[in-house]
Amino acid sequence: MRYAKYARQSTYVDKDKDNYDREARASNRLKNITLTKLNAAYERYTATVPRELRFKELRNSWHPVTPDHRSSLSISQWNQQISNWRHCVYLWNGITDAQCALLSNAVRDGDIQAFLGICENTLLPESSEDGYASLLDSASSGTSLAPVLFKPSWFKGQITHSGFRTLEESEFLNRAIVISKSSTNKQFHERYKRYINSYSSNQ
């Protein structure tokens, strides 16, 4: 009887730890997603293509679907999925305002061929490097584009890697607030205002 009771207690502790690990993993993955959503390319994409009008045929190119941060994917699978998603989002860096207007009309008309025709005439970025220019100081980093390593507030050690800049959680939040306030897209602004408020309330 004592052994059975001990076994039940041990199982409970393991489940509790698993739940904590899942929540921590989901939180970190959500922050990775949000870093990309703060990019101007994502704002341009969502303003041009409403979610309900996205073409399923373009899920892996011009109409990417945000990865599920609560999925049970392994680290390598998650890294591959979010890398593919980011690549698709950054395609919109090469789209001009004039093209956005044409693409918006094509989407509302349900004309996928017209949409692709406009995209094919777009000069795509030559580099797939993540564009975190709005989150970084070009004066201090020496470049307007640089990959970053996100350092959560609970991590007390050092995070460094050659060619990367370490972005503190507090700095990320401050930049997110500035960017959300300066956005010209009302829906974008409201979405990140809600995110920042919920993020702050959990601290």
Side-chain angles (χ1 to χ4, degrees), residues 117-184:
I118 298 169
C119 294
E120 289 174 357
N121 293 326
T122 300
L123 180 62
L124 300 181
E126 295 181 356
S127 172
S128 60
E129 183 178 24
D130 291 351
Y132 294 121
S134 58
L135 291 175
L136 300 176
D137 292 325
S138 58
S140 61
S141 64
T143 177
S144 60
L145 292 176
V148 300
L149 294 173
F150 180 80
K151 181 181 177 181
S153 58
W154 54 263
F155 187 81
K156 303 305 179 183
Q158 297 295 322
I159 301 179
T160 59
H161 193 283
S162 177
F164 285 72
R165 174 181 171 182
T166 301
L167 184 65
E168 299 281 350
E169 184 171 347
S170 58
E171 181 184 1
F172 160 73
L173 183 58
N174 289 335
R175 298 300 180 89
I177 293 174
V178 172
I179 293 171
S180 67
K181 288 181 178 179
S182 63
S183 172
T184 58

Side-chain angles (χ1 to χ4, degrees), residues 9-26:
Q9 290 176 340
S10 298
T11 301
Y12 174 77
V13 172
D14 289 341
K15 287 183 178 180
D16 191 54
K17 182 178 184 301
D18 287 343
N19 289 335
Y20 175 82
D21 290 343
R22 280 197 296 270
E23 289 301 318
R25 180 181 62 195

Side-chain angles (χ1 to χ4, degrees), residues 9-125:
Q9 290 176 340
S10 298
T11 301
Y12 174 77
V13 172
D14 289 341
K15 287 183 178 180
D16 191 54
K17 182 178 184 301
D18 287 343
N19 289 335
Y20 175 82
D21 290 343
R22 280 197 296 270
E23 289 301 318
R25 180 181 62 195
S27 177
N28 287 333
R29 290 180 174 182
L30 178 60
K31 290 172 184 176
N32 289 335
I33 289 173
T34 303
L35 279 172
T36 301
K37 286 189 174 182
L38 289 174
N39 190 278
Y42 186 81
E43 180 178 355
R44 187 177 295 113
Y45 163 48
T46 55
T48 305
V49 185
R51 179 177 300 180
E52 66 275 10
L53 297 180
R54 293 175 182 174
F55 296 127
K56 293 181 179 179
E57 298 88 340
L58 303 181
R59 289 169 61 103
N60 295 321
S61 57
W62 293 97
H63 294 185
V65 177
T66 304
D68 181 6
H69 66 283
R70 292 191 175 276
S71 67
S72 58
L73 295 176
S74 67
I75 294 177
S76 60
Q77 290 173 326
W78 169 258
N79 288 340
Q80 182 63 51
Q81 186 177 82
I82 196 169
S83 176
N84 292 340
W85 174 69
R86 282 173 173 166
H87 173 74
C88 294
V89 169
Y90 293 145
L91 291 176
W92 287 84
N93 277 322
I95 299 294
T96 65
D97 291 341
Q99 288 172 322
C100 281
L102 296 174
L103 290 171
S104 180
N105 291 334
V107 167
R108 296 184 187 283
D109 293 339
D111 192 341
I112 188 172
Q113 295 303 323
F115 185 95
L116 289 174
I118 298 169
C119 294
E120 289 174 357
N121 293 326
T122 300
L123 180 62
L124 300 181

